[in-house]
């Protein structure tokens, strides 16, 4: 599958979310889907049930490894610091995201540490393509 197709799958996942901000994630390896899910903190009463965390857990189980070094992650929203840390620990080398944290929470960022600041303190380097399919991803931001 192509990058665009994988992000479209992440968007389909985001549409399943009942959260105020619907986020969806797909993890792929060699163009094949390994995991896909969405954020479900309220549904599960679990503050860490972000889409990225859920997908990393699912991918690790499927691949039989905590290291996802051959994978690419597609996120409709820029990962928060918790999720970006999980991406770093999982050794995922490439990230595509649609909308930025600033666009997602313009007046109420829960943590103001930026992606660049966090990555500056990591030995694991991630190739990032932000704003990927931003227009489509932005539609899911503020659900009423």
């Amino acid at each position: 599958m192509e990058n665009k197709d994988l992000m479209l799958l992440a968007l389909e996942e985001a549409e399943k979310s009942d959260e105020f901000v619907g986020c969806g994630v797909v993890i792929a390896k060699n163009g094949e889907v390994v995991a896909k899910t969405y954020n479900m903190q309220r549904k599960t009463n679990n503050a860490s049930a972000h889409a990225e965390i859920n997908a990393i857990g699912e991918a690790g189980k499927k691949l039989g490894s905590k290291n996802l070094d051959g994978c690419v992650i597609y996120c409709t929203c820029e990962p928060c610091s918790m999720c970006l840390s999980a991406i770093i620990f999982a050794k995922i080398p490439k990230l595509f995201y649609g909308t930025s944290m600033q666009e997602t929470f313009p007046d109420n960022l829960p943590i103001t540490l930026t992606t660049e600041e966090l990555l500056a303190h990591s030995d694991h380097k991630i190739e990032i393509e932000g704003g990927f399919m931003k227009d489509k991803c932005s539609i899911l931001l503020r659900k009423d």
Side-chain angles (χ1 to χ4, degrees):
M1 295 181 87
E2 300 292 323
N3 293 326
K4 181 179 177 182
D5 300 319
L6 292 160
M7 184 61 95
L8 287 172
L9 285 176
L11 282 160
E12 287 177 14
E13 289 298 308
E15 289 174 356
K16 297 175 186 177
S17 177
D18 292 331
E19 298 296 324
F20 182 63
V21 175
C23 296
V25 168
V26 168
I27 296 177
K29 186 169 187 174
N30 301 321
E32 298 293 322
V33 175
V34 176
K36 60 182 182 172
T37 190
Y38 55 94
N39 58 330
M40 53 183 87
Q41 300 93 299
R42 287 170 186 82
K43 180 179 179 179
T44 61
N45 295 313
N46 179 350
S48 67
H50 290 207
E52 296 90 341
I53 302 295
N54 298 336
I56 288 168
E58 187 178 311
K61 287 177 186 173
K62 185 171 183 179
L63 295 174
S65 176
K66 71 176 191 74
N67 293 330
L68 306 177
D69 52 349
C71 295
V72 178
I73 188 166
Y74 300 83
C75 309
T76 58
C77 298
E78 179 182 11
C80 69
S81 57
M82 174 181 69
C83 293
L84 186 59
S85 294
I87 291 167
I88 290 167
F89 281 110
K91 300 186 184 328
I92 297 173
K94 186 154 187 173
L95 160 68
F96 287 85
Y97 72 82
T99 58
S100 72
M101 286 295 288
Q102 186 61 45
E103 291 164 315
T104 307
F105 298 102
D107 302 318
N108 189 22
L109 280 172
I111 297 174
T112 58
L113 185 66
T114 68
T115 297
E116 293 78 18
E117 290 170 329
L118 182 59
L119 286 174
H121 296 280
S122 170
D123 289 336
H124 179 67
K125 301 304 172 206
I126 301 173
E127 183 182 343
I128 299 175
E129 187 166 336
F132 186 74
M133 297 179 60
K134 178 181 169 182
D135 292 342
K136 289 189 182 293
C137 294
S138 296
I139 293 169
L140 297 170
L141 284 184
R142 298 283 180 177
K143 290 184 176 181
D144 294 328

